[in-house]
Amino acid sequence: MSITNADQAVAGMLETLEGHLRHGRAEAAAGLFLEDSYWRDLVAFTWNLKTLEGQQQIADMLRQQLPALGEIRLRQAPGEAASEADGVTQSWITVETGVARGSGLIRLKDGKIWTLLTTMSELKGHEENKGVRRPMGAVHGVHTGRKSWKEEREQELAELGRSEQPYCLIIGGGQGGIALGARLRQLKVPTIIIERNEKPGDSWRKRYKTLCLHDPVWYDHMPYIPFPENWPVFTPKDKVGDWLEMYAKTMELNFWGSTDCKSAAYDEAAGEWRVVVERGGQQIILRPKQLVLATGMSGKPNLPKFKGMEVFKGEQHHSSRHPGPDAYRGKKVVVIGANNSSHDICAALWEAGVDVTMVQRSSTHIVKSDSLMELALGDLYSERAVAAGMTTTKADLTFASIPYKVLPQFQIQVFDKIRERDAEFYARLEKAGFMLDFGDDGSGLFMKYLRRGSGYYIDVGASELIADCKIKLKSGVDVKEIKEHSVLLSDGSELPADLIVYATGYGSMNGWAADLISREVADKVGKVWGLGSDTVKDPGPWEGEQRNMWKPTQQPALWFHGGNLHQSRHYSLYLALQLKARMEGLAAPVYGLQQVHHLS
């Protein structure tokens, strides 16, 4: 591979930066960055998930962290050539500190660093047993009292949580808890995952029967075991459930199904949690050192309180409890809400011949699935991306390398193209009375998800039914009162109803901390999720990272893990490494511990 000017620029910058870092020259290192620059660090330097913006923040971080980092090495990744386009030079890099190895991506502009991503991928001396380190499996030779793999596994299952305590307890056995459990298993961190449902995957199986993933398969792989090449692009929910059940067994996870967490309290003197769980009619007390709430972004239903709900004679439930359309043929259904779940439920009800009305109280961002896949995801997560040499890891790191502060400007360009491409589709929706938006600043789906986790629908058919007036719509109204057989709206209209579905979203994950631990701990931690963008449902101040997700919180030894399948896969690595470091007693000085500005 020939050395290009771009390669020379990157190599020279990395050599200079490394020299400053090794000699503790924080200000000199920060001076290599543009004034308008960003260093996003995932654990490697900050033992946190932190984005430093501008020279001053970078210098402040380095002054605090450099003394504990040991010898630092920054190199251009072997076999990876730097590229140059539109005045920006970028290259994959390797990162090494005294205790860890990792990778990253650097972008240069005008002779200085514009963006830098550094990530931790393994701890020295505690590498995962994979690849050349994979276990032998068989123990050759003659050994008296030999135990088979099955016997050793059964012994572990019998002892962990009883005679042996887990180091980490994960509450929640959906894709988030299972992905993290797999990472911790590979790092030899004794872990139990507890889940109310009986089997892994049941949280998917129990949703409405037509539910499918709206994200494509290339975006959704689990750690270690990618979906096979014949896997459908959009996975049906029962197929997701079966995959998670298989995955948990194959990855040898200690999964306690049909287990309910009753309470948890942190013993500061002992440095451990006291968690009371109920399993098989028996109360068990677990004493893990670390507690992870992996109860999901969509785990704490927001059930509204409308006047008259208690007098309604029909059936009413939150969308998370909706079984599907079969029991409602020939009946009238009102669905309150106009985001993903509402659209899916309304479409399935209409297909079953149900008279269904959607009540849209505020505007919704709509994006057609094929447009999203081609224009927003295609370069990173698609068959053409795979054919071009894009791996899941590279795709994840590329996406992670764009600081949240500048991500909107890229997304606005993408969604402007989508708006133009699908102009006729949007015009038909608006003619039907549907209230549309593209986010507060026109940045579309991903920023809405990152900022508030709601307010959008990826169209896989329901929008056409609305545009064709097949799904009835009442928009720009609110619910004034629930009556015995109807829903009274703020414009004075009244909708007859045999069933009311509240597709009203979910609350902050710290609501689970309030339920399981205490309101004091929930308030000590503060709001979970959001960037502080000062947009709708994401109040400032600016945070630059997801609040309290995958990183240390104000409550010692309490962590939050979740998000979509992509986030569960990618960020589970960084959370697992933080937990492993603590188990091994490694120094892990946290820079920029999350501050609390909002309680929920």
Side-chain angles (χ1 to χ4, degrees):
M1 185 175 70
S2 60
I3 304 298
T4 66
N5 290 338
D7 290 320
Q8 290 176 343
V10 169
M13 179 60 75
L14 291 174
E15 183 179 3
T16 305
L17 177 59
E18 179 189 290
H20 289 324
L21 297 178
R22 283 192 173 197
H23 292 91
R25 297 191 290 258
E27 283 76 12
L32 298 176
F33 289 74
L34 293 168
E35 283 289 347
D36 182 19
S37 59
Y38 306 87
W39 181 344
R40 188 176 191 216
D41 181 64
L42 305 181
V43 185
F45 281 75
T46 61
W47 289 101
N48 200 349
L49 275 64
K50 192 73 178 173
T51 298
L52 296 317
E53 300 181 2
Q55 294 178 355
Q56 188 60 56
Q57 288 189 17
I58 292 168
D60 290 345
M61 181 275 285
L62 291 175
R63 273 194 298 270
Q64 181 171 318
Q65 296 300 101
L66 284 177
L69 286 171
E71 188 169 321
I72 295 169
R73 288 172 58 89
L74 301 173
R75 296 287 186 275
Q76 193 172 0
E80 297 287 352
S83 63
E84 193 169 9
D86 300 323
V88 176
T89 300
Q90 75 173 37
S91 178
W92 294 106
I93 65 173
T94 61
V95 179
E96 189 172 336
T97 66
V99 298
R101 302 180 191 90
S103 59
L105 194 150
I106 191 171
R107 294 186 181 92
L108 307 179
K109 188 163 63 173
D110 300 328
K112 288 196 169 187
I113 301 171
W114 176 39
T115 72
L116 177 62
L117 171 72
T118 51
T119 73
M120 183 185 291
S121 58
E122 63 181 10
L123 291 163
K124 293 179 180 179
H126 305 287
E127 295 84 358
E128 294 184 25
N129 290 331
K130 63 182 182 180
V132 297
R133 297 188 183 91
R134 72 171 71 237
M136 287 295 293
V139 180
H140 296 154
V142 178
H143 301 274
T144 58
R146 176 199 297 263
K147 288 185 178 180
S148 68
W149 170 86
K150 184 173 184 289
E151 288 170 328
E152 289 182 344
R153 181 77 180 117
E154 288 173 344
Q155 181 178 345
E156 178 187 11
L157 289 169
E159 292 176 352
L160 192 62
R162 294 175 177 84
S163 58
E164 299 289 335
Q165 286 297 314
Y167 179 78
C168 180
L169 179 66
I170 301 172
I171 299 178
Q175 72 262 13
I178 287 173
L180 179 60
R183 299 278 195 193
L184 292 171
R185 180 76 179 178
Q186 295 306 301
L187 288 169
K188 299 180 181 178
V189 177
T191 301
I192 293 174
I193 304 167
I194 67 169
E195 167 62 38
R196 284 179 177 174
N197 291 308
E198 179 186 357
K199 297 184 296 183
D202 278 354
S203 56
W204 285 92
R205 295 186 185 100
K206 292 184 177 182
R207 298 295 301 277
Y208 52 92
K209 73 173 189 177
T210 55
L211 175 64
C212 277
L213 291 178
H214 290 181
D215 298 323
V217 62
W218 308 278
Y219 189 73
D220 292 334
H221 293 301
M222 294 287 286
Y224 309 110
I225 309 178
F227 293 114
E229 292 185 359
N230 64 342
W231 200 261
V233 174
F234 300 109
T235 311
K237 56 103 176 178
D238 293 288
K239 196 171 179 68
V240 176
D242 290 348
W243 180 266
L244 292 176
E245 185 175 0
M246 176 281 298
Y247 184 92
K249 186 172 183 178
T250 300
M251 297 303 293
E252 302 177 24
L253 305 187
N254 299 308
F255 187 98
W256 285 16
S258 302
T259 303
D260 199 12
C261 179
K262 295 299 185 181
S263 66
Y266 188 63
D267 184 336
E268 291 193 22
E272 65 184 22
W273 291 89
R274 183 182 186 275
V275 184
V276 180
V277 304
E278 189 173 287
R279 188 180 192 215
Q282 179 186 7
Q283 194 172 90
I284 301 171
I285 296 175
L286 299 173
R287 296 188 179 275
K289 297 292 186 182
Q290 307 288 339
L291 181 65
V292 179
L293 298 187
T295 46
M297 271 287 292
S298 301
K300 188 75 175 173
N302 270 336
L303 193 62
K305 295 180 180 179
F306 295 129
K307 179 183 177 182
M309 288 175 71
E310 70 282 356
V311 306
F312 185 64
K313 298 296 186 183
E315 183 182 349
Q316 53 185 328
H317 53 237
H318 189 267
S319 57
S320 59
R321 294 180 52 241
H322 183 67
D326 296 347
Y328 307 107
R329 288 184 173 88
K331 296 187 176 182
K332 293 183 181 294
V333 178
V334 174
V335 180
I336 311 296
N339 296 330
N340 261 338
S341 294
S342 172
H343 279 79
D344 283 350
I345 289 169
C346 286
L349 288 165
W350 180 87
E351 287 178 346
V354 177
D355 182 340
V356 57
T357 302
M358 177 188 293
V359 176
Q360 184 189 28
R361 298 179 295 167
S362 58
S363 63
T364 308
H365 171 56
I366 305 291
V367 58
K368 291 172 73 73
S369 177
D370 55 352
S371 297
L372 183 71
M373 288 179 61
E374 182 178 339
L375 297 177
L377 290 171
D379 290 343
L380 297 179
Y381 302 99
S382 69
E383 209 62 55
R384 67 176 167 86
V386 172
M390 181 61 69
T391 65
T392 303
T393 298
K394 279 188 174 181
D396 290 348
L397 291 174
T398 300
F399 193 72
S401 74
I402 304 173
Y404 288 130
K405 195 68 168 287
V406 300
L407 185 57
Q409 68 191 54
F410 292 101
Q411 294 297 304
I412 288 169
Q413 296 174 25
V414 170
F415 283 91
D416 280 349
K417 292 178 183 176
I418 289 175
R419 195 195 309 244
E420 181 180 350
R421 168 177 164 154
D422 297 325
E424 182 183 353
F425 164 73
Y426 290 122
R428 290 174 55 230
L429 268 177
E430 289 185 315
K431 186 177 179 181
F434 195 87
M435 298 186 297
L436 288 168
D437 72 60
F438 276 76
D440 289 27
D441 54 3
S443 57
L445 175 77
F446 291 113
M447 295 313 304
K448 263 205 162 185
Y449 173 71
L450 292 167
R451 290 165 173 170
R452 54 183 280 192
S454 66
Y456 52 82
Y457 168 61
I458 301 173
D459 179 42
V460 292
S463 291
E464 288 295 332
L465 295 175
I466 294 170
D468 292 339
C469 300
K470 293 175 179 176
I471 293 174
K472 297 175 183 177
L473 177 69
K474 290 290 293 186
S475 63
V477 295
D478 210 334
V479 175
K480 185 176 181 180
E481 184 179 353
I482 306 296
K483 296 193 170 184
E484 288 189 357
H485 301 286
S486 63
V487 178
L488 178 64
L489 300 176
S490 56
D491 65 355
S493 61
E494 197 165 342
L495 302 175
D498 300 300
L499 166 68
I500 304 171
V501 180
Y502 299 106
T504 44
Y506 299 85
S508 171
M509 286 176 67
N510 71 332
W512 287 109
D515 289 351
L516 300 175
I517 308 169
S518 69
R519 170 50 61 186
E520 290 74 21
V521 167
D523 289 348
K524 182 178 180 181
V525 168
K527 182 178 173 65
V528 179
W529 205 261
L531 302 172
S533 62
D534 207 21
T535 56
V536 174
K537 296 189 178 181
D538 184 30
W542 176 248
E543 306 278 0
E545 291 287 342
Q546 291 287 352
R547 295 184 188 94
N548 285 309
M549 291 297 295
W550 317 296
K551 59 184 178 180
T553 68
Q554 291 287 343
Q555 171 58 52
L558 177 64
W559 311 76
F560 292 86
H561 175 63
N564 57 30
L565 280 155
H566 154 81
Q567 291 170 310
S568 293
R569 171 188 69 245
H570 185 217
Y571 290 102
S572 60
L573 171 62
Y574 309 117
L575 177 49
L577 289 168
Q578 292 173 83
L579 293 168
K580 175 65 172 179
R582 284 158 175 78
M583 188 185 88
E584 298 297 339
L586 302 179
V590 176
Y591 179 80
L593 185 65
Q594 178 74 59
Q595 299 300 302
V596 178
H597 301 289
H598 309 282
L599 300 184
S600 62

